[in-house]
Amino acid sequence: MRDLKDTCSFDLSVNRPDILGAEFLGEGTNFALYSDHATRVELCLFDDTGQRELHRIDLPDMEGGIWFGYLPGIEPGQVYGYRVHGPYAPEQGHRFNPNKLLLDPYARELRGQIRWDDALHGYEVGQDDLTFDTRDSAQFMPKSVVVDAKFDWDTDRAIRTPWQNSLVYEAHVKGLTQLHPGVPDADRGTFRGLGSDAVIEHLHKIGITAIELLPIHAFANDRYLVEKNLSNYWGYSTLSFFAPHAPYLKSGQIREVKEAIRKLHKAGIEVILDVVFNHTAEGNELGQTMSFRGIDNASYYLLSPDNPRHSFDTTGTGNTLNVAHPMVLRMVMDSLRYWVEAMHVDGFRFDLASTLGRETQGFERDGSFFNAIRQDPVLSGVKLIAEPWDIGEGGYQVGGYRWPFREWNDKFRDDTRAFWRRDPGLAPALSERLSGSPVQFNHSHRPATSSVNFVAAHDGFTLWDTVSFNDKHNDANGEDNRDGHDHNLSDNLGAEGASDDPGIVAARVRRVRAMLATVLLSQGVPMILAGDEFGNSQDGNNNAYCQDNAISWLDWDTARDDVLAAVQAISAFRQDVSLPQSRFGADPEDAADRQPVFAWLHPRGGAMQDGDWQDTELRCFGLHQVLPGGRNVLIVVNAGEDAEFALPEGEWRLRIDTSADTVAQDSVAGGTVTVPWQTVIALTR
């Protein structure tokens, strides 16, 4: 490495500490990095390949812990990294080691991949973590890249689909597109494939208004997975909160993300990102030094209050990002605003969001992170979804968040699966889910769209697998089937795995349709896992986080038209009758103006009585809704045998029958209607 300080010098008159990261300002680039405990920060410039270090020069100024400097002539495409000097004192929480090249936390683009080597550790692997490793890690590290933010968005604007009109589709960029026959081979697995006409056509077909993408931030393929010939497929191991994951970019340039978002927006589809601000890819104190640990371990991470040598882990991943620290919080907020303002993203789903609310007294619904977002003029207006739990004490917080957050509702998932599995005594629980889970969410002025309703998500069985497997089958993960949870609430309906028995297949189709109808016809915001709309299977793997292969990729060739047609019909009906509401339903005597009126009906006719709800064998009941404007909708669920259901007075039209081949109906129903086994019907008056 040649030291070229004499030909690469900072312009001290232009230095700016207020812009963190590497910001191209037209004729040069301003570099700024926060490290409160550092004693010196070196900027390292590399050639285009990122393999040869050309310049190494100290950032000249520091204010408030921000080290900064403006370099004339440094343009977009410049590859760079940092070396940060300071105390190596693990017992005080400090792990500075300038032998380790570090990624800029604000890097918008990365070049190269991690090459796993012991040199990536700040200590001598195999020895105590109090030791100090002197090997240079640069050759094994990806590098940061200066980018040009210019992009022609044309007339692109935020769509702002109202929550009550939203239908969310949880998908993986690669898994959705890798095997899609309508996506060109060269575009599969990338954002170009995501924005393809074939994918958009499919989303339109089933009424999707928002696609929620599993993590697209640059992430690490963890070493222990690589050594087992597996990979971090889901992406919950973040390297950078600003840069997209390079393998999802055909050209390696971030403009591909913008192009895909622009196409999806033109099609009326919002883009929501699953973001992981609770931890990073560096693991615990025995993990690698690739960015935050080497920049300022004691600032960026929560450390054990008893012994700062150790990480404080509430995520189960080894470390916890210290979002209560003002500069770490700023980084998170800057990242979110960047994705909204520069990348035109429409919202976020926060992984393990309870961790983000952890302060000195535990989870705080009014913690600094949540309050910062609620007051932010940019972020408070986008879609915000919390995964309302973590593994720490008091971490399960379903219903514990304030507006404008919505929440993944695992109670909906569990009660819906159990009801349709014909578990006893589930009618009261399912009535809660159909009405938007008011016990959890009807408080603190929260709307009826607070619950994100789902029966399957990326973590767990696919919906088809819940009716095909009694037990998990995770052998391909290399952990002797010990990984993944056992609480699947599944039922194989007569055969473990795939079956060609017509009776078993018919029963599976009927139950899957009924569960999808429950999601789509309940109050709240429905979410469908990609592939569930056509019966996709993962062969019983309920923890496919490490399977970047046919186990996880959607198998479009085996798509079931009988399931897909049902989703199309029910989704269209849901919008046609304006079924979803922003206000919770109420009894007729308690309903306010523009509030839906709800009545629970027994199959024999008339209102459900207290004793009826105590009937553990009751598997058929109805919800009669009078929507604002006077529209009457009746949803009847039947998890038991064929049942006769007495209709309220008036001329009712049968609109949906999930047991029928065509699902969608338009026939007049008399005083009673037959509700077949394992069926949802919907009628209007």
Side-chain angles (χ1 to χ4, degrees), residues 20-334:
L20 288 166
E23 191 78 13
F24 177 61
L25 300 179
E27 296 181 355
T29 299
N30 191 81
F31 294 89
L33 180 76
Y34 175 75
S35 178
D36 195 40
H37 298 98
T39 58
R40 176 185 169 200
V41 174
E42 291 180 296
L43 172 68
C44 305
L45 303 181
F46 290 80
D47 66 4
D48 288 344
T49 69
Q51 297 302 307
R52 190 161 63 98
E53 188 174 345
L54 303 176
H55 304 247
R56 189 182 298 186
I57 183 170
D58 285 9
L59 290 180
D61 283 340
M62 190 274 283
E63 294 180 8
I66 297 175
W67 302 77
F68 61 101
Y70 174 85
L71 271 180
I74 299 300
E75 299 180 343
Q78 177 63 58
V79 181
Y80 71 101
Y82 288 110
R83 299 178 187 274
V84 182
H85 298 253
Y88 189 80
E91 292 175 316
Q92 283 77 53
H94 301 307
R95 295 181 178 271
F96 294 98
N97 187 335
N99 298 295
K100 311 305 168 183
L101 188 80
L102 306 174
L103 290 174
D104 180 359
Y106 279 72
R108 269 62 165 176
E109 189 176 295
L110 302 185
R111 186 160 301 169
Q113 298 293 317
I114 298 172
R115 293 169 51 209
W116 292 112
D117 190 271
D118 288 349
L120 293 170
H121 293 260
Y123 66 97
E124 296 177 4
V125 175
Q127 304 296 317
D128 194 286
D129 68 296
L130 299 178
T131 59
F132 185 80
D133 188 273
T134 59
R135 288 172 292 181
D136 192 331
S137 67
Q139 63 178 308
F140 307 108
M141 280 288 296
K143 313 299 190 299
S144 307
V145 181
V146 178
V147 302
D148 187 348
K150 292 179 181 177
F151 182 77
D152 181 10
W153 282 103
D154 195 16
T155 59
D156 186 76
R157 294 292 184 273
I159 299 172
R160 307 288 190 195
T161 302
W163 275 111
Q164 63 267 28
N165 296 335
S166 295
L167 174 52
V168 180
Y169 188 76
E170 191 196 24
H172 187 284
V173 170
K174 186 172 185 179
L176 180 65
T177 62
Q178 186 67 22
L179 300 178
H180 197 301
V183 176
D185 289 351
D187 295 342
R188 294 181 179 184
T190 70
F191 274 94
R192 287 190 179 173
L194 181 70
S196 67
D197 293 341
V199 168
I200 290 173
E201 179 184 0
H202 177 75
L203 298 178
H204 274 167
K205 183 183 296 184
I206 56 177
I208 298 301
T209 68
I211 185 167
E212 181 181 303
L213 298 174
L214 267 70
I216 67 162
H217 287 166
F219 59 84
N221 277 317
D222 305 274
R223 185 173 186 174
Y224 79 95
L225 291 175
V226 172
E227 291 174 349
K228 294 196 299 182
N229 293 317
L230 298 170
S231 65
N232 179 16
Y233 174 69
W234 286 349
Y236 291 93
S237 189
T238 309
L239 269 176
S240 171
F241 297 118
F242 291 80
H245 191 53
Y248 296 161
L249 307 175
K250 182 178 178 180
S251 67
Q253 298 180 345
I254 62 172
R255 66 176 297 107
E256 290 181 30
V257 182
K258 298 178 180 180
E259 289 166 352
I261 292 173
R262 184 174 59 187
K263 283 200 66 177
L264 288 162
H265 281 182
K266 286 183 178 179
I269 298 169
E270 295 181 299
V271 178
I272 298 172
L273 301 186
D274 190 337
V275 289
V276 188
F277 291 113
N278 53 78
H279 73 281
T280 78
E282 291 186 301
N284 63 17
E285 64 273 6
L286 299 180
Q288 299 78 30
T289 296
M290 299 184 290
S291 184
F292 307 98
R293 175 163 291 124
I295 294 171
D296 193 344
N297 186 63
S299 293
Y300 285 94
Y301 291 122
L302 282 179
L303 304 179
S304 169
D306 300 320
N307 185 352
R309 173 183 174 184
H310 303 291
S311 300
F312 187 70
D313 180 16
T314 64
T315 65
T317 61
N319 64 59
T320 303
L321 203 66
N322 185 17
V323 294
H325 188 290
M327 291 304 291
V328 180
L329 177 61
R330 175 182 169 179
M331 177 189 70
V332 172
M333 299 293 288
D334 285 348

